[in-house]
Amino acid sequence: MPEEEIQAVEQEVSYDPLTDLLALVEDIKVEDDSDKDPYENLSVEETLSQRIIDGNKTNINTDLQQALDGGHKPLDIINKFLMDGMKIVGERFGAGEMQLPFVLQSATTMKTAVSYLEQFMDKLEASTNKGTVVLATVKGDVHDIGKNLVDIILSNNGYKVHNLGIKIPVEEIIRAVEEFKPNLIALSGLLVKSTLIMKQNLEVLNERGIDLPIILGGAALTRRFVEQDCANTYNGYVYYGYDAFTDLDIMERIHSGKSFEEIKEEFYKTKAKESEGDSPYQEVGESDEDEYAPLLDYTEKLSETKVLTSSEIPELPFYGDRLIGPEEIDLDEMWQYLNLDAMIIGQWRMGKGKKTQEEYDKLLKEEIYPTLERLKKETRANPWLKPKIVYGYYHCKIDPEHPNKLNLFSEDKEEIIDSFTFPRQNSGEHLCLSDYFRTEDDAFNLVGFQLVTIGVEAAEFVQSLYNSGDFAEYLYYYGLATESTEALAEYSHARIRKELGYQAEDNKDDIKKLLRGGYHGMRYSFGYPACPRLEDQEKLFTLFKPERIGMKLSEEWQIHPEHSTSAIIIHHPDAKYYNVKVK
């Protein structure tokens, strides 16, 4: 090939069309939308509503001032533009189109806006509201997340809420009713025992001649229990509050002047129809929890649980108890046991809802997981949780005269130092925790216990977020605190399994299965279905003296601070969870 042709071919081969393309567009500038005002094409009224929907409080005072300068009165701005936004937020949440943290961002924005407008309102205007509610967690119950969510949602939808707090006796509720003259009382409780307290409260209210409408809510309640047991006890009207927006829905109907019968027909008929799908109002289910009675039936019928041989009983790692402080607990190691489903779906209410799997996966990747990592990073930098553990082991034997009774012995095995009597199922397998300690030839067995807490600082920290009105952060951190407590309990139990020689059996390849009990033995907390006698917490406190790590026991046998748990550890390979019912 001639030299001229070779050069022509080389020139053609080396031609890069991208060079020419870039030359054509080099003078074209791409518009940067990062600083663009998302509300620039909206009126100030539309902007304020949309800010509530978006949960965007950045520079909202400027828009509020513009609305004021344009002649709008503060109360009109709240009741029209801001409330319009909150109404849409509620509708989207009810339709499963908006997750709870984003709802709380909207509530935070609403609170910020109202706080700014209050300075321009006279005392009478500032006190104007759609209705007044006295809200409380009942006596003996330390849980307040559900109650506080009700406060947030009602307060930011035009209602005046007097939030009395946790562990509130009925006399204090009555004093609040007399002082604030509310339109409604709302009572919350997480524990099974709280359901009994609620019924007792209703009886006292009857005696005092109080018949205000009441909403009862909390994890331990079922609609059947509220609408039958409680409604038949109380002289006034009783509503079942599944969640904060259920309470708002009821309050809106009461405010509109509808009768109890109309509300029952409209509200429950509508929600029952929605519950066939993925509605947040769906029925909790027929829980066994409200069938417990204070007196437990201790039948002596033994189950078929395997009797352990002496060779199957592990060596006692040490006798008595040991403390583990924050300096010995690595947060990242503890967080390996975080139950992400329980936190994301249960605590944060960030479930899939009506999103497609692809949309939900994107939400997890871009919003939820980064939020969790941010919370962890901030916690490492400012450790507001202080994990502490007291745990230990004791020699034990089944009482020969009482098969349901487990005796604990002194270190020399000569003296009984305490005992636990467990209830037995009245049907089915007739299971009882004491059966897991039966041994051949009446040999000694061992039992473990643990008490864990992330410290009072955790409760103080999340409460500060609530008090400051940072509601989404409050929810996020409260959820992390709650599930970190459970992770600490798993962390402690894993340590116990290691000391007993069972850690090799842990299902480490699937953390979800591990957290569902994918290991040797089982952990049971007092107050739960297999051992519902919450009073036995007192025996644990006598044995372990967890006051040393900041834990206290209330007169209702509740552990303080709230983010604390206790458990009995059973090493029997067949141990499993089950419910105890009474006749």
Side-chain angles (χ1 to χ4, degrees):
M1 179 180 291
E3 181 68 25
E4 300 84 27
E5 293 183 21
I6 294 175
Q7 290 178 352
V9 171
E10 287 177 344
Q11 184 178 6
E12 183 178 348
V13 170
S14 63
Y15 170 70
D16 183 0
L18 180 60
T19 303
D20 284 353
L21 179 62
L22 291 174
L24 289 173
V25 300
E26 64 180 355
D27 293 328
I28 299 176
K29 294 183 179 179
V30 179
E31 185 177 351
D32 183 4
D33 290 337
S34 60
D35 295 327
K36 186 178 180 180
D37 182 0
Y39 310 112
E40 68 176 0
N41 295 321
L42 301 179
S43 67
V44 66
E45 297 85 358
E46 292 170 330
T47 294
L48 289 172
S49 293
Q50 192 60 45
R51 278 187 175 278
I52 297 297
I53 296 167
D54 296 341
N56 182 1
K57 64 179 182 179
T58 304
N59 298 325
I60 193 173
N61 291 355
T62 302
D63 295 325
L64 291 168
Q65 190 59 54
Q66 183 181 343
L68 290 169
D69 294 343
H72 292 297
K73 294 181 179 180
L75 202 57
D76 288 339
I77 294 174
I78 293 172
N79 291 336
K80 294 179 181 178
F81 318 134
L82 302 182
M83 283 298 182
D84 282 350
M86 284 302 296
K87 181 180 179 181
I88 293 172
V89 168
E91 290 171 351
R92 290 184 179 180
F93 178 79
E97 298 170 356
M98 194 172 191
Q99 281 84 8
L100 185 58
F102 303 125
V103 172
L104 296 185
Q105 287 178 7
S106 296
T108 298
T109 304
M110 181 76 176
K111 183 178 178 65
T112 300
V114 172
S115 296
Y116 180 80
L117 293 171
E118 282 177 344
Q119 63 183 307
F120 304 104
M121 300 163 65
D122 58 34
K123 189 174 181 180
L124 181 61
E125 282 183 313
S127 64
T128 302
N129 56 71
K130 294 158 66 176
T132 303
V133 178
V134 164
L135 175 65
T137 299
V138 297
K139 179 182 176 182
D141 201 317
V142 301
H143 301 89
D144 66 354
I145 180 67
K147 170 183 64 62
N148 286 347
L149 291 178
V150 171
D151 185 355
I152 293 167
I153 298 304
L154 291 183
S155 296
N156 287 283
N157 278 276
Y159 295 93
K160 178 65 176 177
V161 179
H162 296 280
N163 189 339
L164 305 185
I166 59 174
K167 304 183 296 180
I168 304 300
V170 67
E171 291 298 332
E172 190 170 336
I173 295 170
I174 292 172
R175 283 196 295 271
V177 168
E178 293 171 347
E179 178 180 356
F180 302 120
K181 305 293 189 294
N183 305 98
L184 181 139
I185 302 169
L187 302 180
S188 176
L190 178 71
L191 307 167
V192 174
K193 190 173 182 63
S194 297
T195 64
L196 303 176
I197 299 295
M198 285 182 181
K199 285 189 67 176
Q200 293 169 8
N201 287 355
L202 296 178
E203 292 169 352
V204 175
L205 293 174
N206 286 341
E207 294 171 3
R208 300 296 180 87
I210 296 173
D211 60 359
L212 289 170
I214 286 183
I215 297 178
L216 301 179
L221 300 173
T222 62
R223 178 168 291 168
R224 177 172 57 82
F225 173 76
V226 172
E227 293 189 350
Q228 293 181 16
D229 295 41
C230 295
N232 292 334
T233 299
Y234 187 52
N235 292 337
Y237 297 135
V238 180
Y239 299 90
Y240 171 57
Y242 177 75
D243 60 18
F245 275 95
T246 307
D247 291 15
L248 174 62
D249 213 345
I250 294 170
M251 285 299 297
E252 293 285 80
R253 283 170 164 79
I254 292 175
H255 175 65
S256 70
K258 293 185 176 179
S259 68
F260 176 76
E261 288 73 17
E262 289 176 314
I263 294 172
K264 290 278 287 185
E265 181 179 357
E266 290 179 13
F267 180 76
Y268 291 116
K269 180 180 179 181
T270 302
K271 301 318 170 193
K273 183 177 181 180
E274 288 180 356
S275 71
E276 295 171 7
D278 250 346
S279 166
Y281 298 98
Q282 63 191 13
E283 195 64 73
V284 179
E286 292 300 312
S287 169
D288 294 328
E289 292 183 328
D290 59 346
E291 298 183 16
Y292 291 128
L295 300 177
L296 300 173
D297 182 10
Y298 297 101
T299 61
E300 302 300 334
K301 183 172 181 178
L302 296 176
S303 68
E304 299 299 322
T305 303
K306 173 186 175 184
V307 177
L308 299 176
T309 65
S310 297
S311 62
E312 293 174 303
I313 300 172
E315 181 179 345
L316 198 73
F318 59 85
Y319 180 88
D321 62 83
R322 286 184 181 173
L323 295 176
I324 305 175
E327 65 284 350
E328 301 177 67
I329 300 172
D330 180 82
L331 291 182
D332 289 314
E333 186 177 351
M334 181 189 76
W335 280 330
Q336 290 178 4
Y337 297 98
L338 269 180
N339 188 327
L340 294 183
D341 285 346
M343 184 165 65
I344 293 170
I345 299 173
Q347 298 292 335
W348 293 355
R349 310 287 180 86
M350 296 278 273
K352 179 172 173 284
K354 294 186 177 180
K355 296 182 182 298
T356 65
Q357 189 59 50
E358 183 179 358
E359 290 171 335
Y360 188 57
D361 289 342
K362 182 179 180 182
L363 180 67
L364 287 169
K365 180 180 179 181
E366 297 181 359
E367 179 75 27
I368 298 177
Y369 292 151
T371 296
L372 175 58
E373 291 309 310
R374 173 179 64 82
L375 298 182
K376 287 181 177 180
K377 181 178 179 180
E378 291 173 0
T379 300
R380 294 187 199 98
N382 178 29
W384 50 271
L385 55 82
K386 311 284 186 182
K388 293 175 281 258
I389 300 168
V390 56
Y391 77 107
Y393 309 92
Y394 289 89
H395 302 297
C396 65
K397 267 188 183 183
I398 296 300
D399 192 304
E401 297 182 6
H402 303 283
N404 292 9
K405 188 175 183 180
L406 182 70
N407 292 327
L408 274 54
F409 285 80
S410 58
E411 188 169 8
D412 60 10
K413 304 179 181 178
E414 295 294 329
E415 180 184 358
I416 296 176
I417 60 172
D418 213 330
S419 62
F420 292 86
T421 303
F422 301 109
R424 185 177 299 281
Q425 289 180 310
N426 289 321
S427 59
E429 298 177 80
H430 297 278
L431 294 171
C432 177
L433 290 188
S434 60
D435 294 342
Y436 295 130
F437 295 96
R438 289 161 56 202
T439 58
E440 63 178 18
D441 302 327
D442 197 29
F444 275 95
N445 205 328
L446 71 83
V447 60
F449 298 95
Q450 67 177 39
L451 297 100
V452 309
T453 182
I454 62 170
V456 68
E457 297 86 353
E460 292 171 348
F461 175 69
V462 296
Q463 186 64 34
S464 71
L465 294 172
Y466 175 74
N467 293 341
S468 68
D470 202 346
F471 299 134
E473 288 293 277
Y474 165 69
L475 179 71
Y476 283 136
Y477 273 108
Y478 189 99
L480 180 60
T482 299
E483 293 308 320
S484 290
T485 306
E486 296 301 322
L488 181 60
E490 290 287 357
Y491 171 93
S492 177
H493 191 188
R495 183 186 182 110
I496 289 173
R497 292 194 301 275
K498 181 178 180 180
E499 292 180 350
L500 294 177
Y502 298 130
Q503 195 176 45
E505 300 179 41
D506 285 3
N507 194 333
K508 298 177 182 178
D509 295 330
D510 189 335
I511 188 63
K512 289 187 177 182
K513 287 185 178 179
L514 180 71
L515 296 178
R516 289 197 298 266
Y519 40 66
H520 187 111
M522 198 59 63
R523 182 177 79 252
Y524 303 86
S525 291
F526 292 103
Y528 285 84
C531 47
R533 283 181 57 88
L534 203 57
E535 301 91 314
D536 285 341
Q537 300 266 46
E538 196 167 338
K539 296 185 178 184
L540 282 189
F541 270 67
T542 300
L543 285 168
F544 286 90
K545 299 178 176 54
E547 295 85 356
R548 295 174 291 169
I549 59 172
M551 297 172 72
K552 298 178 182 178
L553 201 60
S554 74
E555 61 182 16
E556 299 291 338
W557 304 288
Q558 289 298 305
I559 299 176
H560 299 264
E562 175 185 354
H563 296 105
S564 309
T565 70
S566 66
I568 177 173
I569 311 296
I570 295 177
H571 67 80
H572 195 293
D574 295 339
K576 63 180 180 180
Y577 293 126
Y578 60 88
N579 290 350
V580 174
K581 283 187 182 182
V582 295
K583 295 177 181 177

